[in-house]
Amino acid sequence: MNDSPGWATPGSSPSDGDRQGTPADQPGNDGGAQQPARPTGDPKWSADQPPPGQWSSPGATPPADAPQPPAQPAGGWGAQPGTPYGGQQAYPGGPGQWSQPPAAKPGVIPLRPLGLGEILDGSVATMRTHWRSVVPITLVVATVIQVISVLVQKFMLSDLPLSSTEDMTAEEAIDTLGSSLAVSVVNQFIQVLGTIVVTAMLTMIFSRAILGQHSSVSTAWREARPQLLRLIGLTLLLAFGIILLGAVLVLPGALAGNIGLAVVGFVAWLPLIIWLGIKFSLASPALMLEKSTVIKAFARSSKLVGGSWWRIFGITLLTSLIAFMVALMVVAPFQMVGIFAVGGGMDALEDGSAQTAWGPLIFSGIGLIIAQTIIMPIQSGVTVLLYVDQRIRREGLDLELARAAGIENYGTTGG
């Protein structure tokens, strides 16, 4: 078994292909070797022995006098109702008919390549099982984010003119646009910092949940803190690269006043952002769990995602849609109450005062706190489990995880 990063020491084993089993390694495959003859008079051997020569290697032609196995129902060997392990059972009538025992599941996921449902279920199961650690982290961070966001929005936008854009002077329009951009930048910066802290701590909680171990908030913080600055650097470097790429593609057309060229640059920029986002989506768990540098984390993510880009893109997109729907269902009622119960109703929406009134801001902030407390663990969990899934598929991480969970001889005898 290779020394692989994360739960074990980083090694040099390639990650370019899935693990392939060897027929000679499978239980019961002796390459057609003859069974040993029963020693005469040996008390350890029973007198009733099966006839010799009944086992054959794959592809061999059975002898004419060999007994035929009993007929099986449609659907393959052992496809009988109520049969465990997906309708398969061990049957020694021919090669390759031995069933594979179920994968070990010491924690929230089975130790084998994961499907979409298992990734989503493992994320939710971790939040449900380890809520004493997960909820305080996300709730505190979400509360801090929204308190700062409400204060920034209240005091930075309160002095802006509330008249319609048709009645504004050029100077007022420029001030309004500048203040709105400043508020957006500040809110996004606070959001990113909060997300980094949550991601760092939840990654450590998920890594223990996979092994069936509990992790306290203090333990998660202690394990995540050494890599926190590197995680901030990784996030800022990725954001800077995206902005720089946009400046190269979009800015020339915008500065030249050529709207067509700017649109073409934006159309080229958008798919590149998506491609880079998925390509480096596993850099964060690689950085935290492998204790690597920023550059090595980018390289690891690129290597793990290679060949599985569309699958990871689909799972990430579905997770984002689920998060959006959850946020919409949670936040919308609070916003409606804030606007129509204490915020002045339609009049406040028309004149723009709802953007800076305490009632709508507070109620919207409460809704966002609840939504982020639910959403952030799911999104972080999906990212971590995608990283684990890719390493199981490519590097045999399931064997390392089994040993870390205390499962002895896992994978050596088919179970």
Side-chain angles (χ1 to χ4, degrees):
M1 174 60 197
N2 57 346
D3 290 331
S4 48
W7 285 265
T9 305
S12 58
S13 61
S15 161
D16 298 325
D18 296 344
R19 291 178 296 122
Q20 300 293 333
T22 312
D25 297 334
Q26 302 298 326
N29 188 358
D30 57 358
Q34 295 293 331
Q35 294 181 354
R38 176 171 61 92
T40 305
D42 191 340
K44 296 183 180 179
W45 289 75
S46 170
D48 297 327
Q49 294 293 319
Q54 299 301 324
W55 297 94
S56 60
S57 60
T61 303
D65 57 348
Q68 298 297 321
Q72 296 293 324
W77 294 106
Q80 302 173 358
T83 304
Y85 313 141
Q88 295 184 354
Q89 64 187 54
Y91 185 79
Q97 300 302 328
W98 291 98
S99 66
Q100 182 178 2
K105 188 178 179 181
V108 295
I109 59 169
L111 301 184
R112 56 172 170 74
L114 304 175
L116 169 62
E118 291 169 326
I119 291 175
L120 294 174
D121 180 69
S123 180
V124 175
T126 301
M127 184 173 62
R128 184 177 62 248
T129 306
H130 304 274
W131 65 269
R132 289 182 177 86
S133 302
V134 173
V135 173
I137 294 172
T138 55
L139 181 60
V140 169
V141 172
T143 302
V144 172
I145 291 173
Q146 293 308 316
V147 167
I148 296 176
S149 178
V150 167
L151 294 177
V152 168
Q153 195 167 347
K154 172 65 178 177
F155 293 107
M156 291 186 67
L157 298 179
S158 59
D159 295 334
L160 296 180
L162 300 179
S163 57
S164 61
T165 55
E166 292 82 2
D167 300 331
M168 287 184 184
T169 64
E171 184 178 354
E172 289 176 340
I174 293 175
D175 290 341
T176 301
L177 179 60
S179 298
S180 299
L181 289 176
V183 169
S184 178
V185 169
V186 172
N187 285 340
Q188 288 299 320
F189 181 73
I190 298 300
Q191 180 75 38
V192 168
L193 287 181
T195 302
I196 290 173
V197 174
V198 168
T199 300
M201 298 181 68
L202 290 185
T203 298
M204 312 317 296
I205 291 177
F206 272 93
S207 67
R208 288 180 173 269
I210 292 170
L211 303 177
Q213 302 172 0
H214 290 273
S215 180
S216 64
V217 176
S218 60
T219 301
W221 171 250
R222 185 172 61 252
E223 293 177 345
R225 186 174 54 188
Q227 293 293 98
L228 197 56
L229 289 179
R230 288 182 176 179
L231 185 58
I232 293 175
L234 184 147
T235 305
L236 294 180
L237 184 59
L238 183 59
F240 177 75
I242 292 174
I243 294 173
L244 182 62
L245 185 62
V248 171
L249 295 176
V250 181
L251 199 56
L255 293 178
N258 191 331
I259 303 300
L261 182 59
V263 171
V264 171
F266 179 79
V267 171
W269 182 44
L270 187 59
L272 283 176
I273 292 176
I274 298 174
W275 179 74
L276 287 174
I278 299 301
K279 184 179 181 65
F280 298 128
S281 61
L282 305 184
S284 171
L287 179 78
M288 298 302 301
L289 296 178
E290 299 179 17
K291 310 298 182 184
S292 64
T293 62
V294 173
I295 302 302
K296 288 182 179 180
F298 279 126
R300 283 287 291 161
S301 178
S302 177
K303 195 173 185 179
L304 291 173
V305 173
S308 302
W309 191 95
W310 284 106
R311 176 176 179 269
I312 296 175
F313 169 75
I315 295 175
T316 304
L317 179 61
L318 179 60
T319 304
S320 300
L321 291 176
I322 293 173
F324 174 77
M325 295 302 298
V326 170
L328 185 63
M329 290 187 294
V330 173
V331 176
F334 283 91
Q335 288 181 332
M336 299 290 287
V337 171
I339 293 174
F340 292 100
V342 296
M346 292 301 299
D347 294 337
L349 287 176
E350 293 176 357
D351 61 23
S353 61
Q355 297 181 8
T356 57
W358 281 114
L361 288 175
I362 291 175
F363 274 91
S364 178
I366 293 174
L368 287 171
I369 289 172
I370 297 173
Q372 288 181 332
T373 302
I374 300 172
I375 291 171
M376 285 193 290
I378 296 177
Q379 292 180 316
S380 298
V382 167
T383 301
V384 173
L385 295 182
L386 276 173
Y387 163 82
V388 172
D389 174 60
Q390 287 301 109
R391 288 196 57 192
I392 288 176
R393 293 172 183 269
R394 294 173 178 269
E395 299 174 349
L397 183 64
D398 51 333
L399 303 180
E400 296 292 344
L401 293 176
R403 283 194 281 270
I407 303 175
E408 297 182 358
N409 300 323
Y410 183 77
T412 60
T413 59

